[in-house]
């Protein structure tokens, strides 16, 4: 339907979209702006804030108080690590459910999802005790395991929906061509599902990165990710807007940048089988 | 090299018996076509032979060796799928080389084989493209290439041309025929298009509801259909059937005449009104509503200036009347 | 060795963190800091010590936890910090508050009572004078005169954020001085008593009329920044704030602020609270020696000097050592020193209320169940403050809850 | 592709995932169930004793429980309403051609990447704070009284913050769905004389139902356990006006350290979540198979 | 009632001029088919008429009234899309009733109209199904039903049968022809299948690169193609072309003979070897490699026992030789 959308209509849409987009983005933008102001300027009225001089003092302050690099590395290791492990477990499971579906497949999938509805606070003490006994408190391994388990259902579901879009004939062809199951998954299925796997990975890195309950409860310092870093600024005393902004910016910047760079990939994959 | 024997092969999906029991012998080097209406079990039978489904009971032998429980890859067969089933993330070269790689062949040997296959199939210039960058016909050729390099005992084709447009279908079907001429390997080809069946097969197997209705060469089936079903299925347009009095006059429960064996002459025995006239230039197809024997389809070569509503008289060629008994069996 | 130290994100602790490399350099040890907001810290630390998770080598705990945990045997006694550690120099009431079974279980990092801070300039401008020992009626009167919402100037700032360590800290003292108590001698909750009603009604009334907007979410930190930016005329809160509002680096009103004792109503007992943030070592710690060395350093006289020299004398942790108050530099830099010392020494957790009670603690009750009850009551009162329920209903719900809890725990037979 | 061999293999392939999740569910849950029958205060070790269903009784009979239940549902429904309706409108808008589409999309998607603690902090301090927040500044500039968000509408404010985080997610899924709408169908409807509204109501909306169900399912999973936003902003208050079930369980087990009561609450929350889950699955199952 | 006139209609997508300028007159009640190779602008032209695209310049009149800028719904035309474009979530009944509902018709009237259309199209038993539960042919009928109920001035069809299989295509094309007989409404039908064009059209418009190559009845195009393009495009199998000496002998740059106009006789003028023989029973198609005139396709009625490698002599029928000038124009 490529008829002339009148120029005015296009302008209206442009203005509306930009306005709404800007409003949605404003909280983040404002945080970034405040992080470059002094504490005194940061609590002034918006116009005064904008005209105040810029400074990176808050970043320096935050940097001197916290081991940002350490938290950052922990976040990366835990979120990426848990995603990769989840993928390794989920790919075969999703393969089986997509290409060898049984009567129970759907129920199984739904059961898996329902494990995500378990409220974390309810099981904290048991998990804490278990972690203590296995020496997993404040270890990256421990947290990675938890993140893996939390995200596994979503990973399986997403992969399952991608795999179902792959014609089973292709897998049969590879079987006729003499591929073993391992080769079938390794050389044919996985590469074909790369876009889906990539967006699954992204979504799960984001979810793991932002997870703020288990990360806070089960780590102290050595394995503490950025959620812990931000927790120490969450209600500090006195004038604190600039420092809080700087810390917030530092905590969300990596994932925001990753998200922006890969948004096409992410958006393409975010359908959960909802688009036929 | 390429002899396949099915003995009492039966297949049921749960309750549903799709193939109640088939015996079939396919000889080395033959081009065998399975035809039949949709859902009759053609694909299932092919997949049983390929090993992609377990048979419920019975025996499959390939080159005299029992293969009933062998894995697909062990049977030495190659399959070309309807949807081509190319690996979209691999180049044409890699697609064709894939079975060789799986067999652990050295890179040099792979290259040699792939290039030979590409030459045969006219794909040399496309070896580095991805399947997505190829036309339908080229994709089909890649799928065949992947089958060829394995030098299988037999090729299995499941409606390989049904995704192509009419013109390309004609070309590709000629290419496959030519390939068979050159390779002389056994080929089993599934289609529901009877033109393909007629033009390609050495031997046609007509299936209905999982049962073999007739096995024979194309012209055998055209000239001597074993029963009503085969008679109606083979030939296009479809054979006209007449029952009742007119059939009884020929000592049969049903008689059949093919549209190309009915002439329009002023002294024809059946009179009728033209209800549809399709003028193709080369032929004219008439649908004639006769009082005596119902609707008749007639094919006339060349142009015939007839239109809707004209009255004509039709005369079947007497040596071309097929006779069938009550139970549908052909009468000799 | 590597020590993991959990602490609150208060200014004094952040100074400690900033100075800690000196200790690290001197001893060759390394510190991993876990700095959290008070609520989260308390929850993390309690979970860990109660389950013997062993994640922390040094914990920052309050005067509420120290005796309870000490009794439970969770803490390492700290009466052997070595030669130079001048125990008698610790303010005796503070040390007593942190002891169990006669042993010091945690050493004070800073201690505080509560008092009244007010804006001298505003009082002068309005022709008011603050008495030495104000009453709550006085305070309400002043607040009324000093409120000018159009200029974002609020007569009084008080804690509103629910939590036993937040709004209930102040409200505890308000109830006490009105003659109320948490429990009678049979551990029966007294929350629906007249004293409570008077106290809470005064609070809700004053805050609604003269308080800043959003008061239900104002904890200590929020009020501090309100006061520092000149939005409050009167603020009744911790004595440890003195340094912070007096420090020109942090405060816009440093030269306009004066201090006096916490207001009273009908009874002087328990009108000002007592609290000490202190450092303790879990009994399970495997690095006790290093931990002790650190604690020694961080609560020593030398540390106080170090802070004084590096960050200015106003910023030194108050309320722990008598010697601090004897330092001429400190007296000069902090004219409020005497008021503070006075308040701390006179706050007696052992006799918190007019009528006798079976518990110790002024603004808290030193039993494990108190946290739950205190938090619940704090929430109810916050709801009343936000206008979502009435004071009577809030107190009634609180009474019911406390009764249930005390019954379940077997205090009420 | 269904030989006996491959079916056995399939079972083998799902088993690691199933076993892991089963362990993940059974072990902590089992311990929680066990604790829920104990009088177990973390601060009084060694005093654990069997109490039967007392913990459940106390948990359910406290007034906060019903409020929390209501708040949990309000929170889920409120956020779902905002994100689904807002998401549809936003997706419709972004699906039009306009200048700078890429940039606007980047801006709209951004909140999804912000961790809940940070978004709560940002909203609470920089925007909704009645003294220094941007809304207060704007209100004052317009000569109005600043609105005290967390006191006047605590749950509403939290819904707003959570909805802001999830709006991009809903928008993106719905946008992808919109883009898959067959343009010939739209043209057919246009030929049939359907106006803009009719096309939206009769074609676009039904086309989106699948995606809307998916959005609802996924978001519900996460919304049932909203926690960080409440912890950072209102601490469940004032009173219990913004306490949801997870937060109530948190209060019980980690603020009062009543592990027994908290565990009972946890089990009740699990049961309720599963009721919601079953309800959702029914709805989804139907919609996803179609 | 159904007369459409295009005057100097031009369409460009940005830079690309897809239709450089077309004048066309479609009379009331006519069945007009647009044919042409893929990408020649058939769909674009149809969509311009429907109003789904703006024309760049020129004029469209429908029943004498200017419609150039009218909205699609105002033109009183109905369109049937290649993908059927059924509303998947509505029942067949609702699908068909949709245009009536949009026109604000009362429920009772809607029901009556829908049931009438369903009867015409044999859909009565499927009215309560969803499109997803119908076969391809049935879906196509629903799409037509949706068009019929509006009683449009003209129907527009864009390759309505190309998603169907061969057999169904034949049936559906006869159904549409019959529908036209009954309704006598103008129909414009786009296809690239020349059999459809030949059998259905009153008037065929052959397009190439947005230009009209020839307009005429099917047999006119078959018998008197205006140029090489039309000659090659109309007729199946394709006409054989011969250039060079043999053509010069007929006083033309190129001559053409249709496969059905070449006879296999012992005294034919061209000798060649059979390289492919397809036996359909009713016909035999030969591909013959001749020394003189290159590859020739020949159609022989009935069976002819020839195979790969046999030598034959071919004779074109002299009155059926088409002659073309250097520029492709037919010579009379
Ligand atoms: N996996 C399966 N489970 C149950 N029934 C099946 C399965 N596969 C095929 N069938 C049934 O077996 C019968 C034969 O199917 P098959 O695919 O072999 O038919 P076909 O002859 O290839 O048809 P078409 O020409 O449409 O491809 C059909 O009735 C089909 O419904
Ligand atoms: N929206 C568009 N923008 C730019 N070019 C277009 C657009 N629509 C069609 N075209 C171009 O116009 C030309 C004609 O397209 P059209 O779809 O009319 O061809 P067609 O004859 O219908 O082909 P087919 O038989 O493949 O359907 C093509 O070259 C096509 O690429
Ligand atoms: Mg099949
Ligand atoms: Mg087209």
């Amino acid at each position: 339907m490529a008829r002339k959308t009148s120029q005015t209509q296009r302008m209206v849409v442009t203005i509306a979209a930009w306005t709404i987009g800007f409003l949605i983005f404003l909280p983040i933008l404002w945080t970034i702006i405040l992080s470059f102001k002094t504490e005194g300027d940061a609590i002034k009225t918006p116009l005064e804030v904008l005209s105040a001089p810029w400074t990176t003092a808050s970043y320096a302050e935050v940097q001197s108080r916290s081991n940002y690099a350490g938290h950052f590395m922990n976040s990366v290791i835990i979120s990426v690590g848990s995603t990769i492990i989840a993928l390794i477990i989920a790919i075969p499971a999703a393969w089986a459910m997509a290409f060898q579906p049984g009567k129970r497949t759907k129920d199984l999938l739904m059961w898996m999802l329902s494990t995500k509805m378990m409220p974390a606070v309810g099981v904290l003490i048991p998990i804490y005790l278990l972690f203590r006994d296995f020496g997993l408190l404040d270890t990256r391994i421990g947290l990675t395991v938890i993140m893996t388990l939390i995200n596994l259902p979503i990973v399986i579901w997403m992969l399952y929906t991608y795999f179902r879009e792959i014609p089973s004939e292709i897998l049969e062809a590879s079987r006729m061509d003499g591929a073993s199951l391992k080769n079938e998954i390794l050389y044919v299925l996985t590469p074909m599902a790369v876009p889906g796997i990539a967006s699954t990975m992204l979504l799960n890195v984001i979810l793991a990165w932002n997870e703020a309950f288990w990360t806070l409860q089960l780590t102290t310092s050595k394995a503490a990710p950025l959620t812990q870093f931000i927790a120490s600024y969450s209600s500090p005393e006195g004038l604190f807007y600039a420092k809080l902004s700087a810390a917030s910016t530092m905590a969300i910047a990596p994932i925001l940048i990753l998200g922006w760079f890969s948004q096409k990939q992410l958006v393409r994959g975010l359908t959960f089988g909802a688009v036929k | 090299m390429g002899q396949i024997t099915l003995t009492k092969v039966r297949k049921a999906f749960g309750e549903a018996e799709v193939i109640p029991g088939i015996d079939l012998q396919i000889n080395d080097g033959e081009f065998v076509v399975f035809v039949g209406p949709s859902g009759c079990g053609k694909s299932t039978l092919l997949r049983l032979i390929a090993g992609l489904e377990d048979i419920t009971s019975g025996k499959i032998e390939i080159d005299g060796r029992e293969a009933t429980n062998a894995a697909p890859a062990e049977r030495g067969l190659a399959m070309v799928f309807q949807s081509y089933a190319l690996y979209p993330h691999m180049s044409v070269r890699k697609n064709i080389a894939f079975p060789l790689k799986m067999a652990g062949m050295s890179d040099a040997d792979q290259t040699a084989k792939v290039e030979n296959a590409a030459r045969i199939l006219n794909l040399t210039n496309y070896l580095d493209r991805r399947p997505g960058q190829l036309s339908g016909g080229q994709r089909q050729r890649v799928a065949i290439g992947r089958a060829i390099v394995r030098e299988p005992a037999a090729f299995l084709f499941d409606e390989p041309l049904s995704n192509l447009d009419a013109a390309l279908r004609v070309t590709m079907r000629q290419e496959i025929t030519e390939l068979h001429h050159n390779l002389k390997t056994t080929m089993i080809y599934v289609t529901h298009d009877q033109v393909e069946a007629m033009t390609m097969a050495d031997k046609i197997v007509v299936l209905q509801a999982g049962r073999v209705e007739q096995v024979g060469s194309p012209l055998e089936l055209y000239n001597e259909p074993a029963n009503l079903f085969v008679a109606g299925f083979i030939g296009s347009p479809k054979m006209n059937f007449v029952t009742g009095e007119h059939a009884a006059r020929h000592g049969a429960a049903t008689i059949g005449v093919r549209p190309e064996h009915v002439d329009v002459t002023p002294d024809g025995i059946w009179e009728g009104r033209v209800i549809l006239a399709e003028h193709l230039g080369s032929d004219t197809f008439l649908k004639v509503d006769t009082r005596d024997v119902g609707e008749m389809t007639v094919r006339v070569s060349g142009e015939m200036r007839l239109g809707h509503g004209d009255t004509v008289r039709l005369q079947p060629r007497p040596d071309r009347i097929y006779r069938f008994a009550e139970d549908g069996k052909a009468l000799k | 060795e590597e020590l993991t130290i959990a602490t609150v994100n208060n200014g004094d602790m952040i100074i400690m963190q900033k100075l800690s490399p000196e200790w690290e350099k001197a001893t060759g040890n390394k510190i991993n800091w876990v700095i959290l907001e008070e609520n989260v810290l308390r929850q993390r630390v309690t979970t860990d010590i109660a389950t013997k998770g062993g994640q922390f080598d040094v914990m920052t705990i309050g005067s509420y936890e120290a005796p309870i945990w000490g009794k439970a045997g969770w803490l390492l006694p700290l009466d052997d910090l070595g030669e130079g550690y001048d125990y008698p120099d610790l303010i005796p009431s503070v040390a007593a508050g942190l002891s169990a079974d006669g042993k010091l279980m945690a050493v004070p990092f800073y201690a505080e009572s509560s008092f009244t801070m007010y804006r001298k300039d505003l009082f002068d401008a309005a022709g008011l004078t603050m008495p030495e020992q104000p009453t709550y009626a006085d305070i309400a009167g002043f607040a009324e005169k000093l409120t000018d919402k159009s200029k974002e100037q609020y007569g009084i700032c008080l804690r509103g954020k629910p939590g036993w360590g937040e709004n209930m800290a102040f409200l505890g003292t308000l109830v006490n001085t009105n003659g109320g108590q948490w429990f009678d001698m049979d551990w029966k909750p007294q929350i629906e008593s007249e004293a409570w009603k008077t106290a809470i009604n005064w609070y809700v009334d004053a805050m609604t009329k003269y308080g800043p907007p959003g008061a239900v979410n104002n904890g200590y930190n929020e009020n501090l920044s309100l006061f520092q930016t000149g939005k409050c005329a009167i603020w009744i809160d911790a004595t440890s704030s003195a340094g912070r509002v007096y420090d020109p680096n942090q405060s816009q009103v440093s030269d306009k602020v004066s201090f006096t004792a916490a207001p009273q109503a009908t009874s002087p007992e328990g009108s000002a609270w007592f609290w000490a943030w202190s450092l303790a070592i879990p009994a399970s710690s495997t690095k006790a020696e290093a931990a002790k060395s650190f604690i020694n350093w961080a609560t020593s006289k030398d540390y106080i000097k170090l802070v004084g020299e590096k960050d200015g004398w106003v910023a030194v942790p108050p309320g722990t050592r008598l010697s601090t108050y004897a330092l001429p530099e400190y007296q000069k830099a902090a004219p409020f020193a005497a008021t503070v010392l006075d308040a701390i020494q006179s706050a007696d957790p052992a006799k918190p209320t007019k009528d006798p009670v079976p518990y110790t603690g002024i603004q808290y009750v030193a039993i494990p169940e108190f946290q739950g009850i205190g938090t619940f009551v704090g929430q109810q009162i916050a709801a009343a403050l936000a206008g979502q329920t009435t004071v009577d209903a809030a107190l009634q719900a609180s009474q019911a809850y406390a009764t249930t809890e005390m019954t379940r725990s077997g205090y009420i037979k | 592709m269904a030989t006996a061999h491959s079916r056995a293999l399939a079972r083998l392939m799902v088993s690691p995932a199933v076993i892991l999740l089963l362990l993940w569910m059974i072990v902590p849950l089992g311990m929680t169930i066990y604790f829920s029958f104990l009088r177990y205060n973390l601060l009084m070790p060694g005093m654990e004793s069997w109490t039967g269903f007392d913990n459940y009784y106390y948990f359910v009979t406290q007034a906060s429980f019903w409020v929390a239940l209501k708040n949990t549902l309000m929170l889920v429904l409120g956020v779902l309403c905002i994100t689904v309706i807002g998401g549809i409108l936003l997706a419709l808008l972004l699906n039009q051609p306009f200048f700078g589409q890429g940039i606007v999309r980047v801006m709209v998607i951004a909140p999804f990447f912000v961790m809940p603690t940070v978004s709560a902090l940002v909203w609470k301090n920089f925007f909704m704070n009645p003294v220094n927040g941007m809304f207060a500044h704007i209100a004052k500039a317009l000569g109005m009284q600043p609105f005290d968000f967390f006191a006047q509408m605590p749950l509403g404010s939290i819904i707003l913050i959570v909805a802001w985080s999830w709006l991009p997610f809903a928008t993106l899924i719905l946008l992808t769905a919109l883009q898959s709408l067959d343009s010939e169908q739209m043209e057919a409807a246009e030929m049939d004389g359907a106006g803009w509204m009719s096309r939206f109501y009769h074609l676009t909306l039904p086309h989106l139902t699948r995606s809307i169900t998916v959005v609802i399912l996924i978001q519900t999973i996460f919304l049932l356990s909203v926690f960080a936003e409440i912890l950072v902003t209102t601490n469940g208050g004032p009173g219990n006006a913004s306490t949801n079930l997870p937060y109530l369980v948190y209060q019980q087990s980690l603020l009062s350290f009543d592990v027994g009561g908290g565990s009972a609450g946890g089990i009740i929350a699990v049961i309720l979540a599963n009721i919601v889950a079953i309800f959702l699955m029914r709805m989804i199952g139907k919609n996803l198979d179609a």
Side-chain angles (χ1 to χ4, degrees), chain B residues 43-298:
Chain B
S43 300
T44 305
L45 190 56
L46 198 70
R47 292 161 59 81
L48 290 175
I49 297 173
L52 292 170
E53 304 270 1
D54 281 335
I55 66 175
T56 308
S57 72
K59 204 169 78 172
I60 297 180
E61 280 165 295
I62 298 175
D63 290 329
R65 238 173 303 125
E66 164 99 32
T68 316
N69 291 313
E74 292 163 9
R75 302 190 181 198
L77 307 175
M79 184 147 169
V80 175
F81 292 83
Q82 175 173 359
S83 64
Y84 322 132
L86 300 183
Y87 310 128
H89 55 288
M90 299 183 194
S91 64
V92 167
R93 182 189 302 281
K94 292 231 174 99
N95 259 285
I96 299 180
F98 188 74
L100 306 177
K101 185 168 159 194
M102 289 299 111
M105 190 177 277
S106 79
D107 277 2
D109 289 359
Q110 283 184 30
T111 312
K113 285 226 171 200
V114 169
E115 286 187 348
N116 189 35
R119 207 177 29 71
I120 293 175
L121 295 165
N122 254 324
L123 283 171
T124 312
N125 293 330
Y126 305 103
L127 277 177
D128 293 314
R129 293 218 194 150
R130 292 278 174 92
Q133 301 165 306
L134 299 179
S135 72
Q138 289 164 340
R139 286 184 211 183
Q140 193 54 70
R141 276 189 225 135
V142 176
I144 296 173
R146 207 168 56 184
I148 288 180
V149 287
R150 295 180 53 203
E151 297 173 2
F155 290 98
L156 312 177
F157 293 89
D158 191 355
E159 310 204 19
L161 307 182
S162 63
N163 281 349
L164 305 179
D165 74 24
L168 199 52
R169 215 147 48 210
V170 173
T171 322
M172 283 304 300
R173 121 187 149 207
Q174 294 176 355
E175 284 186 17
I176 294 177
T177 309
E178 211 175 297
L179 192 72
H180 183 241
H181 264 294
N182 299 339
L183 299 179
K184 302 206 163 43
T185 314
T186 311
M187 291 190 175
I188 306 178
Y189 188 104
V190 166
T191 180
H192 61 245
D193 175 0
Q194 53 97 13
V195 176
E196 274 175 30
M198 293 297 284
T199 55
M200 302 174 85
D202 292 327
K203 182 156 105 187
I204 294 180
V205 179
V206 183
L207 294 169
Q208 193 199 5
R211 240 174 283 269
V212 175
E213 293 287 341
Q214 189 172 3
V215 179
S217 76
L219 289 180
E220 260 167 51
L221 298 189
Y222 180 83
N223 291 323
E224 295 152 31
N227 53 38
L228 267 177
F229 176 78
V230 176
F233 195 80
I234 300 289
S236 161
K238 205 167 163 297
M239 186 185 278
N240 300 295
F241 291 113
V242 178
T243 50
E245 193 197 342
H246 282 267
R249 223 178 282 162
H250 289 86
T254 310
I255 56 167
V257 206
R258 297 193 184 276
E260 57 269 34
H261 299 151
V262 180
D263 295 314
V264 178
T265 51
D267 49 353
I269 53 168
W270 297 320
E271 189 188 287
R273 246 163 32 85
V274 174
I275 52 172
L276 182 79
E278 294 186 332
H279 304 274
L280 288 173
S282 53
D283 297 282
T284 308
F285 291 96
L286 302 176
K287 234 189 207 162
V288 180
D289 189 18
T290 66
R291 230 172 321 141
D292 304 332
V293 290
E295 234 172 70
M296 278 273 150
T297 307
V298 179

Side-chain angles (χ1 to χ4, degrees), chain C residues 243-264:
Chain C
R244 293 170 200 146
V245 296
Y246 201 72
D247 178 357
N249 291 329
Q250 298 181 41
S251 171
Q252 298 167 12
V253 295
S254 57
D255 50 346
K256 301 171 187 141
V257 57
S258 279
F259 310 91
T260 191
Q264 293 180 0

